Amino acid sequence: MPADDLTQRRRREIADAAALTFAEQGYHATGIADIAQRLGIGHGTFYRYFKNKRDILEYVLDEVTVRLGEVLAAEDPTSTTTVEEYRAQVERIGMGLFELFGAEPAIARLFYVEGVGADHEFSEKWMDLQGAFAAVTAAYLQNGVDRGFLPADLDIEVTSRAVNGMIFAALLAVIRDDDPAAEGERWVAGITRMMFGGIAA
Amino acid sequence: MPADDLTQRRRREIADAAALTFAEQGYHATGIADIAQRLGIGHGTFYRYFKNKRDILEYVLDEVTVRLGEVLAAEDPTSTTTVEEYRAQVERIGMGLFELFGAEPAIARLFYVEGVGADHEFSEKWMDLQGAFAAVTAAYLQNGVDRGFLPADLDIEVTSRAVNGMIFAALLAVIRDDDPAAEGERWVAGITRMMFGGIAA
Amino acid sequence: MPADDLTQRRRREIADAAALTFAEQGYHATGIADIAQRLGIGHGTFYRYFKNKRDILEYVLDEVTVRLGEVLAAEDPTSTTTVEEYRAQVERIGMGLFELFGAEPAIARLFYVEGVGADHEFSEKWMDLQGAFAAVTAAYLQNGVDRGFLPADLDIEVTSRAVNGMIFAALLAVIRDDDPAAEGERWVAGITRMMFGGIAA
Amino acid sequence: MPADDLTQRRRREIADAAALTFAEQGYHATGIADIAQRLGIGHGTFYRYFKNKRDILEYVLDEVTVRLGEVLAAEDPTSTTTVEEYRAQVERIGMGLFELFGAEPAIARLFYVEGVGADHEFSEKWMDLQGAFAAVTAAYLQNGVDRGFLPADLDIEVTSRAVNGMIFAALLAVIRDDDPAAEGERWVAGITRMMFGGIAA
DNA sequence: TATGAATGAGTGTTCATTCAT
DNA sequence: AATGAATGAACACTCATTCAT
């Protein structure tokens, strides 16, 4: 399907431009014309690839969701049998996330800041999405409990969301930093330390 | 100043109604008329108390900032000398925050969701604010390091932001829960467990 | 009628302040609140003395009309019997006008500039008023024709309006000049020269 | 430039409709919707051609200014050497002006009445413009003085403004008359008679 | 009588979306 | 398929006017 391919490429181009512009100016402050101008196309053309303005935000955020999913799916939640293995796994996942968003800070900013309150319906969806990510994290924790290398009384739901909350904070910091790579490493170290021993030890 | 008092009360009334409506419908989807209608006042009256639509958002968010500050300032960062004391302090602060936002989930939702991307300029301010809160948290950690009950090599900047990230996740969960009080307690337990021992032990 | 007197004084005060503000900022750009503030009164008070915003414009302009009428009525159109007498009369009238408006340039500005297009209905009235003034001027010219010291074939209607047009131009110049008195004299000289001999002789 | 041409034509159409409506109802009483309705276009279309409401007033008045300038520039101020030639020239200029405005009385009305006080900033501009026109008239008088066919002691500044004042009065009368052409001729006769001999001779 | 808080009609302007070319 | 001219719904904001105190 070459036609479909072309369409997909065009969608991607437009989505990228839109994401960049949304991240720079904010969702509501961005006009369709701004996006079109950035690409050097007529703004009517936009509507040949996306149903409306909201549609593109949804597309971009779905894309991010997929990519996030890919990073998380690169690891198998049930593959670890010891704390050490899990810790190493957490570090890999963390580095993966920071690489993903470090490479495209605009996407991260859009996903975690500019897009959040763009639209009330979307806010709801976004919060649901946080739940979905928590579920993935929860799967890792559940594996630890099942395998016995994490305590049986661990509050998995709360803990998984707490871990994601730390990651959220990390991303916010990483994308604003001049050296995202180094900052990412600091955060991986800080978060794993917290997770596997707390701050006191 | 009775006139000033009346003005302040009116501002508070309008701000409350605005916060509620923003939280329910989103900032951009809310019209000044919606806020006025909720109060049963003419929409022109709004402008006697606030300069414009953005002004009220800023007012509400500044108010939240102040209240958050009050919760944090209720404790003295340098008053603890042992891990146990600090842990108790963290629990008190946590409960305070969940009480604050549990009582007014709309405010929390506005502050952490609907308001975030309302306006690009505000997004920036919001991110700066997260830094300010992190600085407060950092003061507690610094005290621990200085007193010797937290390790000297603790990455205070990263850890303080990570803690705040957990709190953020907690608030998101608490305000969506049917029983905010119970949920809050779960979170305090979960977060302190993570902080003071990690998930593994 | 002391009450009436007080009311009249108050109306005058408000009208003066309004005229000043209209002249400074323009009719539409001036709010009732601006006028009230200038007087240090509540803006609700305004409505105790004038029906509405338009009413005050009308009042001010009627007042000017009356005063203009007084200047013109100070002379008797039928009293002159020779060109020399008429010329002297014209000079007196001219000086009177320049004194009137030179003393209150704001009134002149309001009457001839800011107020002109304030309101379509008023534009019409204003143009009619020009006709009324022309009629007064015409009476002088008619006297000259009747007495024989002005030519019988003089186009009185056109000429009277033309004379008024010169006066209009004069006022515009006089009120913008640093030394209205001197400027006024120049204009009286210029206009009478034009009238009684043309520019060529 | 066909695109540009189309744009220019559209601007002209809209400007014409606007001028007509301004002249009929007054500047402030005219809404953008009124102008659009007159043209049978959507009122959003207006903003594709003009930045805002004030912009179109400025455009129309600048256009009038240019056209007035063309009428005045059709003659060469230095080309006349005798009073007779100058008088003929004045008659030609006068007829040109009356033709210009007689053909489009709405424009004249807008320029000399409805637009004058539309906006305080514009009032200022308008008064400056009167000065500019006076300067043109002054050039003709100066030529007469230089050539010796006008007296050396003529107050050129005052006289030029006085002449323009007569023209102003003339236009006001001509555009309100049922037969503008005939009325124009009367005025040319009346004004030239005044200028070249005064009313008495 | 004076006030100023409250009001809401009115309007300029924006911009997502459509559709004829 | 691409365009951009046209559109009008939607909304923030102003301010003349009213009226309870």
Side-chain angles (χ1 to χ4, degrees):
Chain A
M1 295 95 187
D4 243 20
D5 262 13
L6 197 64
T7 297
Q8 285 309 316
R9 207 174 318 157
R10 218 88 169 79
R11 276 172 73 87
R12 173 66 52 100
E13 274 174 32
I14 294 174
D16 285 348
L20 237 54
T21 319
F22 287 156
E24 276 171 26
Q25 314 182 8
Y27 175 73
H28 280 102
T30 297
I32 295 297
D34 296 327
I35 301 170
Q37 197 174 33
R38 179 170 220 133
L39 289 166
I41 64 172
H43 66 273
T45 307
F46 172 92
Y47 288 89
R48 298 195 58 75
Y49 294 93
F50 291 95
K51 219 176 66 206
N52 52 37
K53 190 181 174 184
R54 209 183 171 282
D55 193 30
I56 205 171
L57 180 63
E58 206 133 23
Y59 178 85
V60 171
L61 296 169
D62 284 350
E63 230 183 7
V64 177
T65 306
V66 168
R67 285 208 253 170
L68 277 172
E70 284 169 359
V71 171
L72 298 177
E75 298 286 334
D76 176 3
T78 62
S79 67
T80 55
T81 54
T82 65
V83 172
E84 287 71 34
E85 283 175 23
Y86 177 44
R87 181 171 188 150
Q89 196 179 41
V90 166
E91 283 171 352
R92 285 196 301 275
I93 293 173
M95 292 308 294
L97 289 172
F98 296 140
E99 266 167 39
L100 173 61
F101 283 126
E104 294 183 272
I107 300 289
R109 183 180 181 121
L110 175 57
F111 191 69
Y112 280 113
V113 183
E114 301 296 348
V116 176
D119 176 310
H120 188 253
E121 201 184 335
F122 180 70
S123 297
E124 216 56 45
K125 186 180 174 178
W126 184 83
M127 289 176 87
D128 291 343
L129 207 54
Q130 302 310 310
F133 288 145
V136 175
T137 304
Y140 288 91
L141 298 178
Q142 189 63 55
N143 175 62
V145 172
D146 291 346
R147 301 274 194 175
F149 66 78
L150 291 182
D153 65 341
L154 189 71
D155 188 335
I156 291 178
E157 202 189 327
V158 159
T159 308
S160 60
R161 284 178 181 270
V163 170
N164 284 16
M166 289 194 287
I167 292 172
F168 167 72
L171 291 171
L172 240 46
V174 168
I175 63 174
R176 293 189 108 195
D177 202 273
D178 294 331
D179 185 351
E183 186 74 358
E185 275 181 53
R186 267 183 78 190
W187 274 92
V188 167
I191 290 177
T192 50
R193 180 177 190 164
M194 173 96 76
M195 286 176 72
F196 301 97
I199 59 176
Chain B
M1 300 96 183
D4 244 19
D5 261 13
L6 200 64
T7 296
Q8 285 309 315
R9 207 173 319 158
R10 217 89 170 77
R11 276 174 74 87
R12 174 64 54 98
E13 273 173 32
I14 295 173
D16 285 348
L20 237 53
T21 320
F22 287 156
E24 276 172 26
Q25 314 182 8
Y27 175 74
H28 279 101
T30 297
I32 296 297
D34 296 327
I35 300 170
Q37 199 174 29
R38 175 169 226 135
L39 288 166
I41 64 172
H43 66 271
T45 306
F46 172 92
Y47 290 93
R48 291 188 55 76
Y49 295 92
F50 292 95
K51 222 176 64 209
N52 52 38
K53 191 181 174 184
R54 206 182 176 282
D55 193 30
I56 205 170
L57 179 64
E58 204 134 24
Y59 178 83
V60 171
L61 296 170
D62 283 350
E63 229 183 7
V64 177
T65 306
V66 168
R67 284 208 254 168
L68 276 173
E70 283 169 359
V71 172
L72 299 177
E75 297 285 335
D76 175 3
T78 61
S79 67
T80 56
T81 54
T82 65
V83 173
E84 287 70 35
E85 284 175 22
Y86 177 43
R87 182 171 186 149
Q89 197 180 41
V90 166
E91 284 171 352
R92 287 195 301 274
I93 292 173
M95 292 309 293
L97 288 173
F98 297 138
E99 266 167 40
L100 172 62
F101 283 126
E104 295 182 272
I107 300 287
R109 182 179 181 122
L110 176 56
F111 191 69
Y112 280 113
V113 184
E114 302 296 348
V116 177
D119 177 310
H120 189 254
E121 200 184 336
F122 180 69
S123 296
E124 216 56 45
K125 187 181 174 178
W126 185 82
M127 289 175 87
D128 290 343
L129 206 55
Q130 302 311 310
F133 288 145
V136 175
T137 303
Y140 288 91
L141 298 178
Q142 188 64 54
N143 174 63
V145 172
D146 293 345
R147 302 274 193 173
F149 66 78
L150 290 183
D153 65 341
L154 189 71
D155 188 334
I156 291 177
E157 201 191 327
V158 160
T159 308
S160 60
R161 283 178 181 271
V163 169
N164 284 15
M166 289 193 288
I167 294 172
F168 167 72
L171 291 171
L172 241 46
V174 168
I175 62 174
R176 294 188 106 195
D177 201 273
D178 294 330
D179 185 352
E183 186 75 357
E185 276 183 53
R186 266 183 80 190
W187 274 92
V188 167
I191 291 177
T192 49
R193 180 176 187 163
M194 174 96 77
M195 285 176 73
F196 300 97
I199 60 176
Chain C
M1 296 96 187
D4 243 18
D5 263 13
L6 196 63
T7 296
Q8 284 310 315
R9 208 175 317 157
R10 217 88 168 80
R11 277 173 72 86
R12 173 64 55 99
E13 272 173 33
I14 294 174
D16 284 349
L20 237 53
T21 320
F22 288 156
E24 274 172 28
Q25 315 181 9
Y27 175 73
H28 280 102
T30 297
I32 296 296
D34 296 327
I35 300 168
Q37 197 176 33
R38 178 170 222 135
L39 288 167
I41 64 171
H43 66 272
T45 307
F46 172 92
Y47 288 90
R48 298 195 59 75
Y49 294 93
F50 291 95
K51 220 176 66 205
N52 52 38
K53 190 180 174 184
R54 207 182 174 284
D55 192 30
I56 205 172
L57 180 63
E58 205 133 22
Y59 178 84
V60 172
L61 295 169
D62 283 350
E63 230 184 7
V64 177
T65 305
V66 168
R67 285 208 251 168
L68 277 172
E70 284 169 359
V71 171
L72 299 177
E75 297 286 334
D76 175 4
T78 61
S79 67
T80 55
T81 54
T82 65
V83 173
E84 287 70 33
E85 281 175 24
Y86 177 44
R87 180 172 188 150
Q89 196 180 40
V90 167
E91 284 171 352
R92 286 196 301 276
I93 293 173
M95 291 310 292
L97 289 172
F98 296 140
E99 265 168 39
L100 172 61
F101 283 126
E104 294 183 273
I107 300 288
R109 186 183 176 117
L110 176 57
F111 191 70
Y112 280 114
V113 184
E114 302 294 349
V116 177
D119 177 309
H120 188 253
E121 199 183 338
F122 178 70
S123 295
E124 214 57 42
K125 186 180 174 179
W126 184 82
M127 289 175 87
D128 290 344
L129 206 55
Q130 302 311 310
F133 288 144
V136 174
T137 304
Y140 288 90
L141 298 178
Q142 187 65 54
N143 175 63
V145 172
D146 292 346
R147 301 274 194 174
F149 64 79
L150 290 183
D153 66 343
L154 189 69
D155 187 335
I156 291 179
E157 201 190 328
V158 160
T159 307
S160 60
R161 284 177 180 270
V163 169
N164 284 16
M166 289 194 288
I167 292 173
F168 167 73
L171 290 172
L172 241 46
V174 168
I175 63 174
R176 294 189 107 193
D177 203 273
D178 295 330
D179 185 352
E183 186 74 359
E185 277 183 51
R186 265 184 79 191
W187 274 92
V188 167
I191 290 176
T192 48
R193 180 177 188 164
M194 174 96 75
M195 286 176 72
F196 301 96
I199 59 177
Chain D
M1 300 94 183
D4 244 19
D5 262 14
L6 199 63
T7 296
Q8 284 310 315
R9 208 174 318 159
R10 216 89 171 78
R11 276 174 73 87
R12 174 64 53 100
E13 272 174 34
I14 294 174
D16 285 348
L20 236 55
T21 319
F22 287 155
E24 275 172 28
Q25 315 182 9
Y27 175 73
H28 280 102
T30 297
I32 297 297
D34 297 327
I35 300 169
Q37 201 173 29
R38 176 169 225 135
L39 288 166
I41 64 173
H43 66 273
T45 305
F46 172 91
Y47 288 92
R48 292 188 54 77
Y49 295 93
F50 292 94
K51 221 176 66 211
N52 51 39
K53 191 181 174 184
R54 205 181 177 283
D55 192 30
I56 205 171
L57 179 63
E58 204 134 24
Y59 178 84
V60 171
L61 295 170
D62 283 350
E63 230 183 9
V64 177
T65 306
V66 168
R67 285 207 253 169
L68 276 172
E70 284 169 359
V71 171
L72 298 177
E75 297 286 333
D76 175 4
T78 61
S79 67
T80 55
T81 54
T82 65
V83 172
E84 287 71 33
E85 281 174 23
Y86 177 44
R87 180 172 189 150
Q89 196 179 40
V90 166
E91 285 171 350
R92 284 195 303 274
I93 293 173
M95 291 310 292
L97 288 173
F98 296 139
E99 265 167 41
L100 172 63
F101 283 126
E104 295 182 273
I107 300 287
R109 183 179 180 122
L110 177 56
F111 191 71
Y112 280 113
V113 184
E114 301 295 348
V116 176
D119 176 311
H120 189 253
E121 199 183 335
F122 180 69
S123 295
E124 216 55 45
K125 187 180 174 178
W126 184 81
M127 288 176 87
D128 291 342
L129 206 55
Q130 303 311 310
F133 289 144
V136 174
T137 304
Y140 288 91
L141 298 179
Q142 188 64 54
N143 174 64
V145 172
D146 292 346
R147 302 275 193 173
F149 66 77
L150 291 182
D153 66 342
L154 190 69
D155 188 333
I156 290 178
E157 201 190 326
V158 160
T159 308
S160 60
R161 284 178 181 270
V163 169
N164 285 14
M166 290 193 287
I167 292 172
F168 168 73
L171 290 171
L172 242 45
V174 168
I175 62 174
R176 294 189 106 194
D177 202 273
D178 294 329
D179 185 352
E183 185 75 358
E185 274 181 55
R186 265 183 80 191
W187 274 93
V188 167
I191 291 177
T192 49
R193 180 176 189 164
M194 174 97 74
M195 286 177 71
F196 301 96
I199 60 177

